[in-house]
Amino acid sequence: MANEIWTIKRCLEWTKEYLAERGEEHPRLSAEWLLCAATGLARIDLYMRMDETLDAAQLETMHAAVVRRAKGEPLQYITGSTQFRMIDVACAPGVLIPRPETEMLVEEVLNYLDAEVLSPEAAARQRVELPWNDEVEEARKAEAALADERTTAERRAANLTAADEAALGSDVLGSRAYAEELADREAEEAAQAAEAEAAETPEPELDEYGIAIEGADQETASAQDAAAPAPTEPCTARVLEVGCGTGCISLSLAWERRGHVTCTATDIEPRAIDLATKNRDALGLTADEVAFSLTNLVSSIPREEWGTFDVLVSNPPYIPTDVMRSLPHEVKDFEPDLALEGGADGLDIFRRLLNAAPYMLRAGGLFACELYEGALDAAAELCRQAGLSDVRIVHDLTDRPRIVRAIVTEPKQRQ
């Protein structure tokens, strides 16, 4: 068999049939993923290069991957990565695999940030009062007045009937022809006068922001500097994520709003912090943009940072204990219980986060969590009892309740 020729097409078909016989729900898709990982090709490239032969190293990698998948191990652990929104995320055993539902959690946070925190930056640029603005405005008003005069003359002439013109004569001031000629002459004279005035006081050349280019009159530039508003610091939102796992939430927020969002993310699992840091480095993000901390919930957050965050977001362990036993084999037997089980009702960690939220968030800050579908009503009620406002439940793409979000209106301070 070692001397047999295995093309991409043959390997794809064989793997699909092998996995289907062992109960794989989507055998062809799994076969494609595994082949992409073994060859380094994109899925579309597989179909463009079906007749290419796999080398010995690729065959060995593929064989090991198929054996692991046949035992039920998640594809993301075998291939070592998955896609999450706009980024690729490395995955590894011991760290929870990102889910599509969590992409919606990111979307909720971004919608809040855009509307409540970052929106002033998107406001329309205000008109700067420059020294020559008055001159420009006067010229504009003069042009408008001339246009009004011409319109009035034309209307006056148009109101003359043929009988009126016959009675007045063709060379009388009120005739239509004379009125039109007068209006044309007045407009031409006004245009010439405006050009002459502009020549006497040359208007500075401006860039796209209304600022005089280099070489403009020094006195004018000084006046401009005095009139222009002082530059403002870019608006930046601060996000606290608890239980970061692969880092997919914080990394997506910082990546999709780069320069406008900074994140502090915590996890109690060392493997998660290591993997999240690896994912951050692969994206070219810095520790100033996304800082990861190995700690229990919010224990490592410095006291001086309490009450400074705009958002507290989390995808905490939320599977009720009884439900854990009924999870699919590839979840129950391969993904970490620490990242899954949330106690009897699935809300053990959520309650601790809810208690921390008023201390971590500023007034008006957002508290948002992904939770078990059967626990959302209870979670929303807990938010209301804690004094949070604007409590909402967000449904996922399958119309199951999935996210609770609420606003902290009265921040707290520990004595």
Side-chain angles (χ1 to χ4, degrees), residues 251-384:
L251 295 175
S252 289
L253 293 171
W255 180 259
E256 295 185 38
R257 297 294 183 275
R258 192 160 193 181
H260 301 292
V261 173
T262 62
C263 301
T264 298
T266 71
D267 205 293
I268 198 173
E269 170 57 62
R271 288 175 293 182
I273 295 297
D274 290 344
L275 186 62
T277 302
K278 175 183 175 181
N279 283 323
R280 180 190 67 196
D281 295 344
L283 288 170
L285 293 169
T286 67
D288 289 335
E289 293 173 294
V290 183
F292 293 111
S293 176
L294 179 64
T295 190
N296 184 17
L297 300 181
V298 298
S299 299
S300 67
I301 305 302
R303 192 65 171 260
E304 60 269 20
E305 294 187 23
W306 290 13
T308 66
F309 293 99
D310 298 290
V311 175
L312 195 166
V313 60
S314 181
N315 175 20
Y318 61 66
I319 305 297
T321 303
D322 289 343
V323 178
M324 287 288 295
R325 291 190 288 269
S326 62
L327 290 176
H329 165 57
E330 68 177 73
V331 176
K332 178 175 59 178
D333 296 334
F334 289 94
E335 297 199 64
D337 288 353
L338 183 65
L340 293 169
E341 186 170 355
D345 61 356
L347 296 175
D348 281 3
I349 301 300
F350 173 79
R351 289 185 176 88
R352 297 172 65 184
L353 293 172
L354 177 58
N355 181 61
Y359 296 97
M360 296 295 111
L361 295 173
R362 61 164 176 79
L366 175 70
F367 175 56
C369 284
E370 177 183 333
L371 296 170
Y372 178 65
E373 61 188 80
L376 267 299
D377 288 335
E381 183 57 30
L382 288 172
C383 288
R384 297 186 187 97

Side-chain angles (χ1 to χ4, degrees), residues 108-295:
E108 286 297 316
V109 173
L110 287 175
N111 288 340
Y112 166 82
L113 292 177
D114 288 344
E116 304 298 334
V117 183
L118 304 178
S119 56
E121 188 143 289
R125 182 185 299 272
Q126 295 297 314
R127 183 173 184 264
V128 178
E129 288 300 326
L130 301 175
W132 52 83
N133 277 351
D134 289 341
E135 298 173 14
V136 174
E137 184 66 14
E138 287 301 321
R140 187 195 65 79
K141 289 181 179 179
E143 292 177 3
L146 287 173
D148 288 342
E149 290 178 7
R150 176 167 185 170
T151 300
T152 301
E154 290 175 345
R155 287 176 177 172
R156 184 174 65 246
N159 286 333
L160 295 175
T161 64
D164 293 331
E165 289 185 64
L168 293 172
S170 60
D171 58 345
V172 193
L173 183 64
S175 72
R176 179 183 290 109
Y178 187 84
E180 292 176 351
E181 180 183 349
L182 177 62
D184 289 338
R185 187 163 62 247
E186 288 174 344
E188 182 178 352
E189 292 173 353
Q192 292 173 350
E195 290 176 3
E197 183 178 352
E200 293 176 2
T201 308
E203 184 176 320
E205 185 177 356
L206 309 180
D207 64 14
E208 58 180 320
Y209 300 106
I211 300 175
I213 62 174
E214 293 183 5
D217 181 75
Q218 186 63 40
E219 182 178 348
T220 300
S222 299
Q224 171 189 344
D225 292 339
T232 58
E233 290 295 323
C235 185
T236 303
R238 302 193 72 231
V239 175
L240 172 60
E241 181 192 0
V242 178
C244 64
T246 62
C248 60
I249 293 176
S250 287
L251 295 175
S252 289
L253 293 171
W255 180 259
E256 295 185 38
R257 297 294 183 275
R258 192 160 193 181
H260 301 292
V261 173
T262 62
C263 301
T264 298
T266 71
D267 205 293
I268 198 173
E269 170 57 62
R271 288 175 293 182
I273 295 297
D274 290 344
L275 186 62
T277 302
K278 175 183 175 181
N279 283 323
R280 180 190 67 196
D281 295 344
L283 288 170
L285 293 169
T286 67
D288 289 335
E289 293 173 294
V290 183
F292 293 111
S293 176
L294 179 64
T295 190

Side-chain angles (χ1 to χ4, degrees), residues 17-46:
E17 294 176 8
Y18 182 84
L19 294 178
E21 291 172 357
R22 283 153 182 78
E24 173 70 47
E25 187 176 1
H26 303 290
R28 188 175 191 88
L29 181 62
S30 294
E32 290 172 346
W33 275 37
L34 296 177
L35 262 173
C36 287
T39 61
L41 297 174
R43 285 176 63 195
I44 190 171
D45 291 332
L46 294 178

